[in-house]
Amino acid sequence: MRFKRSTPASLFLNGLVVVCTLILTFPLVWIVMMSLKQQAEVMTWPPRFVFTPTFENFRVLFDAAQAGATSYGTIKVDFLTPVANSVVISLGAVLVSLIAGVPAGYVLARRDIPRKEDIAFFILGFRFAPALLVVIPLFSVFQTVGLYDTYLGMIWVYQVVTLPMIIWLSRSYIEDIPKDIEEAAAMDGAKPFRVVWHIVLPLLKPGLTGASLLIFLLAWHNFALGLILSSTKAPVTVALLKLLNPGVQFYPVMAAGLVVTMIVPVVLITLGQRHLERGLTFGAVK
């Protein structure tokens, strides 16, 4: 067996990949290290890379009962509630986006309607618009109609983030499916609803699974909408702000919260990597 000799260019590229990987992973490693340190060790300079790990920060984070004395004093965080809020809001946003977005994507892909492309780009414009343009006017509206700090209100407003993405992705997926399949089913007597339900949706399953994972991550990491439109139903990204009180520095506990916040996306990406890759390439130009 002959081995191909590495050229200086390939060695340089491999080294560049290693350096970029270290740069990208260092913040994650640093956050995990902070979550396992005491407050005094976090503030030490130069930083310590060898230390005795502790799980006290995670105990403080999820102490939903009467808070006990810790090295931070007597505090009560109850981080489990915002985690549950984020799960409910993100899953609800994904479900509503699929119910409303897939039919809209099908119409944009298959029906000849006036100014179809203008409508599609108008929908896409909501995805790139600053969140404050939407959330500030909605603040007074939500308080008036009773949607402020409710799951229903949060799921509704999260459609600004998730719905345009689902519409455009599902439109791309449907355009990748040959129209002849639907025409053949229609010639055999299948009604339009049956064609979509029994033929189009099964073919869309890989793409929609990946798209659902993607918009779940977008909803999970959203910050501005939850900050202004929620209080007790605040998502996990907003709950982390409570650990940055003036004069009180809970950096290790906040690092533990960041670790918990990252666990859900990492688990979803790991379990659904195959579907996510398929969903992102489904409908791409080959």
Side-chain angles (χ1 to χ4, degrees), residues 7-25:
T7 63
S10 64
L11 291 175
F12 173 77
L13 292 177
N14 291 335
L16 186 61
V17 170
V18 172
V19 172
C20 292
T21 302
L22 292 176
I23 293 175
L24 292 175
T25 57

Side-chain angles (χ1 to χ4, degrees), residues 106 109-110 172-185 195 199-200 203-204 278 282-283 286:
Y106 182 84
R110 291 290 193 248
S172 176
Y173 301 158
I174 294 170
E175 288 176 344
D176 196 52
I177 298 174
K179 195 174 182 180
D180 296 341
I181 299 177
E182 300 177 47
E183 294 176 349
V195 171
I199 297 177
V200 177
L203 294 175
L204 287 179
R278 173 61 175 161
F282 196 89
K286 300 178 176 60

